[in-house]
Amino acid sequence: MQGFLTLFRKELVRFWKVSFQTVAAPVLTALMYQLIFSHVLSRHAEAYPGVGYTAFLIPGLAMMSMAQNAFANSSSSLIQSKITGNIVFLLLPPLTALEFFAAYMLASIVRGLAVGAGVLVVTAWFGLPLPSHPGWALLFGLLGCGVLGTLGVIAGIWAEKFDQLAAFQNFLIMPLTFLSGVFYSINSLPPFWYAVSHVNPVFFMIDGFRYGFFGQADVSPWLSLGVVGGSFILLSGLALWLIKSGYKLRH
Amino acid sequence: MPSAIEIQAVSKRYGALQALDDVSFRVEAGEFFALLGPNGAGKTTLISAMAGLSRPDSGSIRIMGHDVVRDFRAARMSLGVVPQELVFDPFLSVRETLRFQSGYFGLTRNDDWIDELLFKLGLADKANVNLRALSGGMKRRVMVAQALVHRPPVMVLDEPTAGVDVELRQSLWAFVKELNEAGHTIVLTTHYLEEAETLCNRIAMLKRGKLVALESKDKLLQHGKEREVAFKLAAPLPDSLLPSKVREEDGRIVLKLTDLSQLEGVLATLREADVRVRELNVVEVDLESVFVNMMHGGQG
Ligand SMILES: Nc1ncnc2c1ncn2[C@@H]1O[C@H](COP(=O)(O)OP(=O)(O)OP(=O)(O)O)[C@@H](O)[C@H]1O
Ligand SMILES: [Mg+2]
């Protein structure tokens, strides 16, 4: 337990020492998206009855930023430790696979939530209502960051070089987060893209998170919870198994 | 009392390369043990297997009686390893590094011991300096401190003196010796035979993944004194010297002396027999040939 707490704390210190890059920068990026898209698309039809496009955009942008940063936190920390070699100081102590995994994953959630809170605060004046179901919003925030933090652990363990990690990020994480209904309601999509969105767990994170704010969404929050929760369990199982087996960490 | 380290039939392949080939030996508690061998012999691979950093293909290893795979928590609590490569976390200061390392081993209030380690390793005035700002030798000392935060009964140092100046080397050895006297079992790898000679009780030699020798220091030293001397003579070797002759090569006769001080006697005998010495070479024995000789002769 102490081992887990220490590693968790170290992971928090690591991103907090450079919070200008790890928290402030993504908040600024999200603010830009909000400014540009709400300006271009403000005359767009209401996304849901009573919900204007500018307000609709906010939770999606927040969730997308949370997802990307949760992924970045665990994956970049692991790959840096692997490449500099100081991961050996985590492999020598008697940390269990669960302690190791939980520390990286939870630190990713903290970074994701910090970024998400920042995005909501700076974009709220575009007309974000107070969440109608704060419990749902928080649950999807936590689980969404958990899924991406876990994916980051897996990618960080798998990648041997920075460019492999960049490929993972550019060809998997970016498409997943962008093609997720951040900028539109998927009900407005042609059937093919509608179907594609439905196999993307990030879509369900965003949809569930939106439900927490507006009390309405494209699909039922229970369905979203099933998909996001199921992804989290599956990926956590995979990450734990990789760590336990020593995959790419212990030769 | 269990052995400090028990290595049983450990083999490990990297692709086509047999990095460890059926290695077995024990290190008893309280020993000061040296693991020697040329580059690529498998020393680091063996240490990695002890530490759980790599998994042998077959065989088992116990640290203080704890299997390093099945009972990995107890095994790792008993072991402190100073890795061969110089690695550090550039985000942290020396004290932060040691505090975090303590925490990974489950220790919270460890500052007294950390202060003692800093003092003993000459790092007290660097405690709050970032690791990036330390010299290589200083970083090495921090790694030694990191390996000791949990006061492990068994400590393994993988070439701790590579790239380290004489002064640090001596102070490091004094410190490690002190630990040994306090009851810690010490295993080190080095390329310097003298270091192994002056510090260790027992020595193991690896070569191409195989354990080729396992000897007490005294026995090794005896072998280490043996010298081969090659003579180019103007006349045949006197009969009285025949027993020392080991071979002939390139027209030189090679004699084996149990001690270099015998050379004087040999020269006197040659002078008496009126055999002129045209050339004389003392064949430098390297560590490896000492061991190889030992393997072929010493153990009978
Ligand atoms: N991860 C790895 N993948 C492939 N081969 C490896 C790996 N680690 C070690 N080897 C090979 O195994 C052999 C033993 O290497 P090892 O590092 O154990 O030698 P060593 O005795 O520590 O040498 P040195 O004195 O140079 O430190 C070498 O031939 C090395 O190339
Ligand atoms: Mg080595």
Side-chain angles (χ1 to χ4, degrees):
Chain A
M1 188 62 187
Q2 190 56 46
F4 154 74
L5 285 175
T6 307
L7 183 53
F8 178 51
R9 209 155 45 87
K10 202 210 80 179
E11 283 303 294
L12 294 182
V13 168
R14 197 193 68 87
F15 85 77
W16 200 247
K17 275 191 180 176
V18 286
S19 54
F20 202 67
Q21 295 165 44
T22 54
V23 180
V27 169
L28 181 64
T29 307
L31 180 59
M32 309 282 211
Y33 278 123
Q34 178 70 28
L35 283 168
I36 293 164
F37 280 86
S38 62
H39 176 71
V40 174
L41 299 171
S42 58
R43 267 153 294 159
H44 206 271
E46 286 184 341
Y48 303 133
V51 179
Y53 181 78
T54 41
F56 168 85
L57 191 56
I58 296 172
L61 270 181
M63 191 69 229
M64 182 178 84
S65 309
M66 287 155 84
Q68 288 174 349
N69 281 278
F71 176 83
N73 203 64
S74 48
S75 61
S76 66
S77 177
L78 275 165
I79 191 106
Q80 276 174 27
S81 290
K82 277 171 45 172
I83 284 174
T84 59
N86 62 39
I87 192 139
V88 72
F89 297 123
L90 298 179
L91 299 177
L92 290 172
L95 293 168
T96 61
L98 182 61
E99 286 181 300
F100 186 95
F101 167 67
Y104 278 99
M105 192 269 292
L106 290 172
S108 289
I109 290 184
V110 174
R111 160 126 166 237
L113 291 182
V115 170
V119 172
L120 291 178
V121 165
V122 301
T123 54
W125 56 278
F126 281 88
L128 182 72
L130 284 177
S132 64
H133 304 288
W136 277 114
L138 186 65
L139 182 62
F140 279 103
L142 284 170
L143 274 179
C145 294
V147 168
L148 272 293
T150 304
L151 258 180
V153 170
I154 294 169
I157 290 173
W158 165 79
E160 280 157 21
K161 291 179 266 174
F162 283 111
D163 50 332
Q164 286 177 331
L165 185 61
F168 199 100
Q169 198 149 16
N170 293 329
F171 291 97
L172 189 70
I173 303 303
M174 292 307 256
L176 280 182
T177 50
F178 273 97
L179 299 176
S180 58
V182 176
F183 301 107
Y184 46 80
S185 160
I186 61 158
N187 286 324
S188 60
L189 284 180
F192 173 75
W193 290 107
Y194 181 86
V196 167
S197 296
H198 266 94
V199 294
N200 179 359
V202 183
F203 158 73
F204 293 94
M205 288 170 205
I206 290 178
D207 205 58
F209 193 58
R210 250 181 214 143
Y211 179 84
F213 282 87
F214 305 124
Q216 46 189 332
D218 288 355
V219 300
S220 150
W222 292 102
L223 173 63
S224 296
L225 180 63
V227 173
V228 179
S231 309
F232 180 65
I233 291 169
L234 268 177
L235 290 170
S236 299
L238 174 61
L240 276 169
W241 178 75
L242 289 177
I243 297 167
K244 211 166 203 150
S245 72
Y247 175 76
K248 296 220 183 173
L249 292 176
R250 302 179 192 272
H251 299 280
Chain B
M1 181 135 168
S3 299
I5 302 172
E6 188 183 335
I7 295 165
Q8 229 166 38
V10 168
S11 295
K12 172 85 182 168
R13 295 185 81 88
Y14 287 115
L17 183 100
Q18 190 78 46
L20 291 174
D21 189 358
D22 196 22
V23 174
S24 299
F25 64 89
R26 285 161 186 265
V27 179
E28 300 306 331
E31 274 197 279
F32 203 132
F33 191 92
L35 191 55
L36 304 180
N39 290 130
K43 305 180 294 294
T44 299
T45 307
L46 186 60
I47 290 171
S48 301
M50 290 180 205
L53 297 175
S54 78
R55 305 250 164 107
D57 302 330
S58 58
S60 65
I61 301 179
R62 287 163 183 276
I63 308 290
M64 300 304 284
H66 308 290
D67 187 278
V68 299
V69 179
R70 258 173 295 135
D71 195 6
F72 74 94
R73 288 178 70 91
R76 289 188 207 160
M77 280 310 284
S78 310
L79 185 67
V81 176
V82 184
Q84 179 172 6
E85 305 289 335
L86 202 58
V87 288
F88 59 96
D89 189 328
F91 284 98
L92 303 177
S93 73
V94 174
R95 185 178 292 280
E96 284 173 321
T97 299
L98 297 179
R99 278 196 180 146
F100 279 122
Q101 202 63 25
S102 304
Y104 300 150
F105 282 94
L107 306 165
T108 41
R109 282 166 227 277
N110 206 23
D111 276 353
D112 288 348
W113 177 234
I114 288 174
D115 283 331
E116 195 175 329
L117 284 172
L118 290 174
F119 175 75
K120 287 264 170 63
L121 287 161
L123 289 166
D125 56 335
K126 303 281 179 194
N128 299 314
V129 175
N130 188 288
L131 264 287
R132 254 183 308 212
L134 294 185
S135 73
M138 297 271 186
K139 289 188 187 113
R140 177 75 62 187
R141 293 188 224 188
V142 176
M143 287 175 68
V144 174
Q146 267 175 288
L148 287 169
V149 287
H150 57 301
R151 304 178 194 240
V154 183
M155 188 183 187
V156 178
L157 302 105
D158 197 354
E159 275 178 67
T161 50
V164 153
D165 69 22
V166 182
E167 197 184 337
L168 171 58
R169 194 178 293 178
Q170 278 167 355
S171 68
L172 187 62
W173 288 139
F175 178 60
V176 173
K177 224 163 149 173
E178 204 178 298
L179 287 170
N180 181 239
E181 277 154 17
H184 294 259
T185 308
I186 310 285
V187 174
L188 61 90
T189 75
T190 173
H191 288 132
Y192 303 108
L193 181 57
E194 318 136 51
E195 281 186 354
E197 272 180 15
T198 47
L199 292 160
C200 299
N201 318 111
R202 227 150 53 89
I203 292 173
M205 167 98 174
L206 281 176
K207 189 178 171 185
R208 289 199 206 100
K210 277 200 167 68
L211 184 72
V212 293
L214 184 64
E215 289 283 354
S216 74
K217 177 180 70 177
D218 296 343
K219 207 158 174 186
L220 175 84
L221 281 181
Q222 209 186 326
H223 289 285
K225 276 191 200 141
E226 279 177 2
R227 287 287 187 280
E228 289 186 347
V229 184
F231 291 92
K232 205 167 198 174
L233 300 175
L237 190 71
D239 286 350
S240 60
L241 289 176
L242 274 178
S244 332
K245 178 174 156 182
V246 281
R247 63 179 179 277
E248 237 172 282
E249 53 186 25
D250 312 327
R252 290 183 180 79
I253 295 166
V254 180
L255 302 185
K256 186 180 213 162
L257 310 180
T258 50
D259 200 307
L260 207 53
S261 61
Q262 284 187 326
L263 187 58
E264 236 173 81
V266 172
L267 291 174
T269 312
L270 290 173
R271 215 172 314 134
E272 270 165 38
D274 218 10
V275 178
R276 200 160 57 81
V277 178
R278 285 201 190 137
E279 220 182 287
L280 181 156
N281 285 309
V282 178
V283 181
E284 274 308 320
V285 275
D286 59 5
L287 186 55
E288 209 174 309
S289 57
V290 170
F291 276 99
V292 171
N293 284 344
M294 211 158 68
M295 287 305 287
H296 294 308
Q299 290 177 332

